[in-house]
Amino acid sequence: MGSNEQIASALEAWANTKFGAGSTVSGLKRLSGGASQETWAFEVSGNGQENALILRRAPGGVEAARSSQAIGLAMEATLLTHASKAGVPVPPVLGVFEDDPQLGQAFVMDRISGETLGRKILRDDEYSGARKVLAGQCGDALARIHSIPADTLPDLPVSDGLNQLAKYESIYRAYDLPRPVFELAISWLKAHAPAALPVVLVHGDFRLGNLMVSEQGLASVLDWELAHIGDPREDIAWLCVNSWRFGHSDKRVGGFGDLPDLLEAYAAAGGPEMAPRDIDWWEMLGSLKWGIMCMTMYEAFRSGADPSVERAAIGRRVSETEIDLVNLLEGVRDHA
């Protein structure tokens, strides 16, 4: 099920309904990346118009093949619609497939022009203007995401900082590979957990790589598959984790911006007022989580469950997160 020809045929049948009889599909191509979901680009020609579109699809069309943490494509499409209504820059959803014989679980959205590769966004001259305004635009977008009333949303996982800490500590201990820096970080996080804020819709993976950036700045917020109900500081801090700064460590926000600029825009767009120190605990939790995720990647390689070079390469990044955690621990000690 789900060969290129079958996918193209199913999309063409949908396009004839959506854009008019005689619409044709061309240029179907699977894009790189997307470990838990497939992403395909294609074009539809019909009624004298050309439409550049994206298909998001469960691997092989089978929803059970997705990540156990992912919310599912139908729910992701629903969140994109809610986000669009809230003024978040997202691709419009044009069609949702619940259980199509050829496509399985999938949805179609507009294709947005821009760049997602963090290193290019942080390095290339064409994005120099975008880098100056991106922190504020991210703050505005996050405030809008967090403003979406939870009671208007489908049932989503609920996850706060302490239960995430417990979850990742459990994963870490199961490997029986003690790492002193992780032990110290876990102890500090337990001892310094901040008071909870009212829970909101959290994107769950708001960082470079999942943000489409144009020369003007933030063009679209992508990959909502880890969305959940949780603390708003989680999203802000995840963007600040040093692993997502791609070597530009002097800029706390994604390697491109300063946290006060993001927090000012966040508050101006209706989010609660916060200080940079309010993000410290969550940034440390984010670095620890990523470090344990890297351990998981290495274990997948070591066990043969996924012998790809990519898994081995990411697994080696555990040591980077240890350095980040030491720096963060020293920082909170210095301004304690």
Side-chain angles (χ1 to χ4, degrees):
M1 183 179 88
S3 68
N4 285 29
E5 294 78 12
Q6 289 174 313
I7 293 172
S9 175
L11 289 172
E12 197 155 279
W14 167 80
N16 273 263
T17 301
K18 180 71 176 179
F19 298 104
S23 296
T24 59
V25 167
S26 61
L28 181 66
K29 177 179 66 173
R30 184 171 176 185
L31 304 180
S32 60
S36 59
Q37 307 289 6
E38 295 178 5
T39 302
W40 298 72
F42 66 102
E43 290 79 40
V44 171
S45 302
N47 290 329
Q49 293 184 327
E50 297 286 333
N51 301 277
L53 305 178
I54 290 289
L55 170 71
R56 286 271 286 167
R57 178 173 180 263
V62 180
E63 183 67 6
R66 66 180 172 84
S67 163
S68 61
Q69 297 184 63
I71 59 174
L73 286 163
M75 193 176 291
E76 188 176 342
T78 298
L79 291 183
L80 284 170
T81 301
H82 281 279
S84 179
K85 291 177 181 177
V88 183
V90 293
V93 174
L94 303 179
V96 180
F97 306 88
E98 292 283 358
D99 194 18
D100 185 89
Q102 274 85 36
L103 297 176
Q105 302 285 331
F107 67 86
V108 174
M109 60 186 177
D110 270 346
R111 193 190 315 170
I112 307 297
S113 297
E115 181 59 69
T116 59
L117 291 176
R119 295 190 186 281
K120 291 180 66 67
I121 293 166
L122 296 177
R123 178 194 63 203
D124 291 3
D125 290 342
E126 64 186 292
Y127 301 109
S128 59
R131 290 191 289 270
K132 297 175 183 177
V133 298
L134 196 51
Q137 291 172 336
C138 286
D140 181 271
L142 284 171
R144 293 176 185 275
I145 292 169
H146 297 164
S147 74
I148 298 171
D151 59 4
T152 67
L153 300 172
D155 288 338
L156 288 166
V158 178
S159 179
D160 64 17
L162 285 175
N163 65 36
Q164 287 186 32
L165 177 59
K167 170 189 170 181
Y168 281 93
E169 181 183 4
S170 177
I171 294 170
Y172 160 70
R173 302 231 176 268
Y175 292 131
D176 195 24
L177 293 171
R179 306 186 79 96
V181 174
F182 284 9
E183 297 287 347
L184 184 58
I186 291 168
S187 295
W188 187 91
L189 287 164
K190 288 179 178 179
H192 295 86
L197 292 180
V199 294
V200 298
L201 171 65
V202 173
H203 179 276
D205 202 7
F206 194 96
R207 60 174 176 84
L208 284 186
N210 293 333
L211 305 177
M212 183 73 75
V213 177
S214 70
E215 293 180 15
Q216 288 72 46
L218 182 62
S220 189
V221 181
L222 306 174
D223 293 351
W224 292 68
E225 61 196 50
L226 297 181
H228 58 276
I229 302 299
D231 193 296
R233 292 168 292 189
E234 179 186 343
D235 270 341
I236 297 170
W238 190 240
L239 180 60
C240 294
V241 168
N242 193 44
S243 296
W244 310 132
R245 301 182 206 172
F246 299 96
H248 297 255
S249 297
D250 57 316
K251 293 290 186 180
R252 187 174 180 183
V253 177
F256 55 79
D258 298 315
L259 187 53
D261 293 338
L262 183 150
L263 295 176
E264 181 180 349
Y266 182 78
E273 291 192 4
M274 300 182 194
R277 286 183 62 175
D278 296 327
I279 308 303
D280 289 352
W281 189 91
W282 292 90
E283 185 179 339
M284 193 175 305
L285 175 63
S287 291
L288 176 69
K289 283 166 53 178
W290 177 237
I292 294 169
M293 290 179 205
C294 291
M295 290 182 72
T296 301
M297 299 282 189
Y298 172 73
E299 178 59 24
F301 173 79
R302 188 201 63 78
S303 68
D306 184 348
S308 66
V309 173
E310 180 186 18
R311 289 291 177 265
I314 296 175
R316 293 180 68 246
R317 299 188 65 186
V318 174
S319 58
E320 296 176 12
T321 65
E322 290 179 309
I323 295 170
D324 294 339
L325 287 168
V326 168
N327 288 334
L328 289 167
L329 286 162
E330 289 184 345
V332 294
R333 181 196 63 190
D334 289 345
H335 67 227

